Amino acid sequence: MYDFIKGTVDYVGPEYIVVENNGIGYQIVTPNPFSYSSNVQQMVQIFIYHHVREDAESLFGFSTRIEKALFTKLLNVTGIGPKGALAVLGSGQVDQVVQAIENEDEAFLVKFPGVGKKTARQMILDLKGKLENVVPDYFPNLFNDGSSSAGKATGFNEALEEAALALKALGYSDKEIQKVAKKLDDEEMSTEQYIKKALQLMLK
């Protein structure tokens, strides 16, 4: 029904952002809302998936069509709902997810919250060999690794607290969040960077 929305970012929270377009504020659930922190009061384009249930309607938003396409594919897997699909995409590593599916790497997939061995196996059965037409740009780079730089020590701060809230919204437990927070509290980053680094640590 919707492909994308262009508007001004009015609010950024742990679970969603609000984008204003022609006087209407659209609540859009995204994998990593704080990635839009630097875009507050700025114009953005977000690719939209309109999810309809009997008791609710929700808008899910993504920065690229590739993320939206993978989200849609994940929803077709038995055992994965919108929250689970968001948690998978929240890592920001679409190529790693695709690689894990193609290589039948269950050990990697079960690291996402809400994904057990049965669901991981179902992801592989349902999606292996069916993603190249959805995420073609990632297939030539499946075996490339990325790295992030560390900042200076500052201790547990507001940005890290916001990152913890976002991780909790994705489904990670307080215990898991506290474990990675201890590893990050000597680094100085933005909320978005904390989230990405935390997700990388959780997936190791």
Side-chain angles (χ1 to χ4, degrees):
M1 182 176 180
Y2 300 111
D3 187 48
F4 64 83
I5 182 172
K6 282 186 178 180
T8 303
V9 177
D10 182 75
Y11 169 81
V12 175
E15 298 183 41
Y16 63 85
I17 64 174
V18 175
V19 175
E20 187 273 330
N21 177 281
N22 289 327
I24 300 175
Y26 294 89
Q27 182 175 301
I28 303 172
V29 183
T30 70
N32 183 356
F34 288 109
S35 65
Y36 293 93
S37 295
S38 61
N39 299 113
V40 175
Q41 300 307 318
Q42 294 183 7
M43 181 72 71
V44 295
Q45 175 174 294
I46 301 176
F47 295 94
I48 296 295
Y49 179 86
H50 185 206
H51 185 68
V52 180
R53 299 186 314 186
E54 290 184 3
D55 57 344
E57 292 188 28
S58 302
L59 293 177
F60 293 90
F62 309 92
S63 58
T64 67
R65 279 198 173 93
I66 289 174
E67 287 184 350
K68 176 183 174 181
L70 182 54
F71 177 81
T72 304
K73 286 290 187 180
L74 288 169
L75 289 182
N76 292 327
V77 177
T78 302
I80 296 184
K83 187 172 182 178
L86 278 181
V88 172
L89 287 167
S91 68
Q93 304 293 329
V94 175
D95 52 342
Q96 290 183 7
V97 176
V98 174
Q99 179 181 340
I101 292 171
E102 293 300 315
N103 291 344
E104 300 188 18
D105 187 354
E106 293 182 34
F108 178 85
L109 296 174
V110 297
K111 293 177 182 178
F112 293 104
V115 178
K117 290 185 177 181
K118 182 178 180 180
T119 302
R121 192 65 204 161
Q122 195 66 48
M123 289 172 67
I124 293 168
L125 289 172
D126 290 351
L127 300 180
K128 183 179 179 180
K130 300 177 182 178
L131 294 174
E132 188 167 3
N133 62 328
V134 177
V135 287
D137 294 342
Y138 285 97
F139 272 76
N141 304 305
L142 285 182
F143 300 99
N144 291 341
D145 293 323
S147 61
S148 58
S149 59
K152 193 169 180 174
T154 60
F156 199 89
N157 53 38
E158 184 178 355
L160 189 51
E161 290 177 353
E162 290 179 339
L165 289 173
L167 292 169
K168 192 167 185 177
L170 286 173
Y172 288 98
S173 68
D174 290 337
K175 184 177 180 180
E176 291 173 313
I177 294 169
Q178 289 171 7
K179 184 177 179 180
V180 296
K182 289 179 181 178
K183 297 179 181 179
L184 297 175
D185 63 4
D186 62 344
E187 302 186 18
E188 185 177 3
M189 299 180 178
S190 67
T191 301
E192 178 187 1
Q193 290 171 329
Y194 275 128
I195 294 170
K196 288 184 177 180
K197 186 67 177 289
L199 288 167
Q200 289 173 6
L201 290 172
M202 286 178 174
L203 295 176
K204 283 185 178 180

